[in-house]
């Protein structure tokens, strides 16, 4: 039996929630993939809801017709939201990480260098107790010796977007 229905971002193609969490204040934050069929309109949306499921805050990314990154995220201790996002070149298997301020502006974006043999596919992002970001996903370096192909990947970065380490 349906308890509550909230209509968000209706489209003619796809509007999916891929991640969500309850923050320190009890608010629900959700990460959405929004696409319109046969159109270059493709964006990511973040909503923060209060305990009554009223929208407190939202963020809409710019349009990008090649954004195939599933939106995953977490909240930093200062309230900024971290989002997996498409890299500036629109390469499908190289994801970026974006920090978004409470006013909806972009604070920083970490972009992995692009080459034809590389994959950095983010599956999960989490905030650690010390404020750092831990991420996991899939890693490939096909032109590297030894060749690494679709391997488990962990990375850690500071709350300011500095890559501290990555392991595969």
């Amino acid at each position: 039996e349906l308890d509550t229905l909230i209509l968000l971002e209706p489209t003619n193609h796809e509007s999916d929630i891929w991640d969500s969490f309850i923050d320190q204040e009890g608010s629900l934050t959700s990460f959405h993939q929004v696409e319109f069929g046969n159109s270059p309109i493709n964006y990511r949306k973040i909503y923060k809801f209060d305990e009554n499921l009223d929208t407190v805050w939202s963020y809409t990314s710019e349009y990008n017709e090649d954004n195939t990154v599933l939106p995953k995220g977490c909240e930093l201790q200062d309230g900024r939201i971290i989002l997996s996002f498409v890299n500036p070149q629109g390469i499908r298997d190289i994801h970026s990480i974006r920090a978004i301020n409470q006013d909806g502006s972009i604070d920083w974006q970490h972009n992995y260098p692009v080459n034809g043999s590389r994959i950095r596919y983010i599956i999960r992002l989490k905030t650690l107790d010390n404020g750092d970001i831990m991420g996991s996903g899939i890693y490939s370096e096909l032109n590297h010796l030894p060749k690494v192909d679709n391997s488990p990947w962990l990375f850690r970065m500071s709350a300011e977007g500095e890559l501290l380490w990555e392991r595969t």
Side-chain angles (χ1 to χ4, degrees):
E1 196 172 304
L2 180 65
D3 177 70
T4 304
L5 175 64
I6 302 172
L7 292 175
L8 302 171
E9 303 302 311
T11 74
N12 67 351
H13 184 63
E14 191 167 351
S15 181
D16 302 319
I17 296 176
W18 284 101
D19 203 1
S20 64
F21 64 86
I22 303 294
D23 69 14
Q24 302 157 1
E25 299 165 356
S27 297
L28 170 66
T29 301
S30 60
F31 297 82
H32 303 253
Q33 172 186 2
V34 183
E35 298 179 6
F36 289 81
N38 300 317
S39 169
I41 300 173
N42 181 356
Y43 60 95
R44 301 300 177 256
K45 185 88 176 189
I46 301 171
Y47 282 100
K48 184 175 275 202
F49 303 102
D50 64 15
E51 61 278 350
N52 298 318
L53 299 176
D54 294 321
T55 302
V56 174
W57 177 87
S58 70
Y59 164 80
T60 304
S61 75
E62 61 275 19
Y63 292 165
N64 182 313
E65 83 182 278
D66 291 325
N67 188 354
T68 61
V69 177
L70 300 178
K72 305 289 181 133
C74 60
E75 183 178 45
L76 296 177
Q77 293 171 344
D78 62 6
R80 289 178 293 165
I81 302 293
I82 300 299
L83 169 70
S84 56
F85 197 70
V86 69
N87 68 55
Q89 293 89 354
I91 307 298
R92 294 173 182 256
D93 292 327
I94 307 270
H95 297 181
S96 293
I97 301 161
R98 180 177 276 189
I100 301 161
N101 295 313
Q102 291 283 342
D103 65 2
S105 63
I106 299 169
D107 186 35
W108 55 261
Q109 181 165 317
H110 177 81
N111 299 309
Y112 285 94
V114 173
N115 70 34
S117 69
R118 176 173 284 171
I119 292 174
R120 300 293 186 277
Y121 192 96
I122 298 169
I123 295 174
R124 178 102 154 86
L125 294 166
K126 179 180 179 171
T127 305
L128 302 176
D129 288 343
N130 73 344
D132 287 351
I133 302 159
M134 178 69 76
S136 64
I138 300 168
Y139 179 104
S140 291
E141 283 289 346
L142 302 177
N143 289 340
H144 202 273
L145 290 175
K147 177 179 152 181
V148 180
D149 190 12
N150 290 322
S151 294
W153 171 48
L154 292 174
F155 63 89
R156 186 172 185 157
M157 61 180 25
S158 74
E160 299 310 318
E162 175 190 355
L163 183 64
L164 302 173
W165 57 259
E166 57 184 347
R167 304 284 189 272
T168 188

